[in-house]
Amino acid sequence: MGAAGQVLRRGGDGGGGRSLRRRDALTAWLFILPTVVGFLVFVIGPIVGGLALGFMRYDLLTPPSFVGGENFVKMIEDQRILQIFGNTIYYVVGMIALDLVWALVLAVALNSFIPRFFKVFFRAVFFFPILVSGAVISIVWLYLFNMDLGIINWYLVKLGLDRVPWLISSDWVRNSVIIMTVWNGVGFNMLLLLAGLQNIPAELYEAGRIDGAGRWASFGRITLPMLTPVIFFILVKGAIGVFQLFDSPFVLTKGGPGDASRTVLMYIWEKGFQVLDFGYAAAIGLVLFLAILAVTAVQFATSDRWVFYR
């Protein structure tokens, strides 16, 4: 009877354990259900809807009608689309390159042996613009870039230089957007690189000094290779973000002069909410999504060649 009782108790405990596991699983699913529902409704739903809308003609006034690839043929015939995609690619290359170099310079400077007070102060100074709305930052720079009254041109004149038509010349306007956007966001990447610098073991630099490596050799052979995971993250995040650039050029230039500073996302907004050609706007959005996906895939595919993990 004693053995039989033990078997019965074990069987009872097993059944109770399974019941408890089922209750735990149900509780877990109930906790994550709002997130899953929100993801399906606000992420997957719009993606599927946008994909379907790209093959339709829809202007809010009439029911959507299926037109096949007409929107994509229209895109090929669009005389503005090449310049607008060219602007966006120019922003991607220019902003990421300038932001990465400037953030790295600041991170190395703040990681040097300067008083702690100044380190904290400059970290806060360079990070602060990220906390301010991009639209507000753009309005401030709108006045700074003013050709006649802007403080930047005022200093240029004081230095004996000519005024620069920052926002009214097609030769300068894209660079103006890049300058403002990099100034606005460099603080975040600076902190990422600073954290990466502080995680590099001091033993590596000591070994480099023993081998006779100077500062530049140590930077090229130790610092940069150890920072490549952070740099890779910055490149991926930056490319995805800049491809979707909207607020800075919209507030600064409205895409002008002409289409000289217009981005793809601004063009999607124009076609969708001004012209009410939602089908064409969705088709452009699909092409933009594929471009972002392709660039990200290339970055991941080539990362094994230059990203070093400890």
Side-chain angles (χ1 to χ4, degrees), residues 10 81 101 118 158 223 253 281:
R10 284 197 298 268
I81 199 73
V101 172
F118 290 103
K158 288 294 183 181
T223 304
T253 67

Side-chain angles (χ1 to χ4, degrees), residues 49 52-67 278-279:
L53 194 59
F55 296 91
M56 297 182 181
R57 183 185 296 114
Y58 181 50
D59 59 2
L60 283 181
L61 304 177
T62 57
S65 58
F66 182 77
V67 293
F278 286 97

Side-chain angles (χ1 to χ4, degrees), residues 23 37 49 116 153 157 166 191 194-196 230 249 266 276 303 309:
R23 287 199 299 271
V37 172
R116 178 176 176 79
N153 278 342
V157 171
W166 298 103
L191 291 183
L194 183 60
V230 181
M266 292 176 65
L276 297 183
S303 63
Y309 297 97

Side-chain angles (χ1 to χ4, degrees), residues 1 30 34 83 91 96 98 104 135 144 172 218 225 238 241 263 265 281:
M1 290 294 294
L30 289 175
Q83 181 179 1
Y91 288 139
I96 293 177
L98 184 59
L104 183 58
L144 294 177
W172 281 97
S218 296
T263 66
L265 208 60

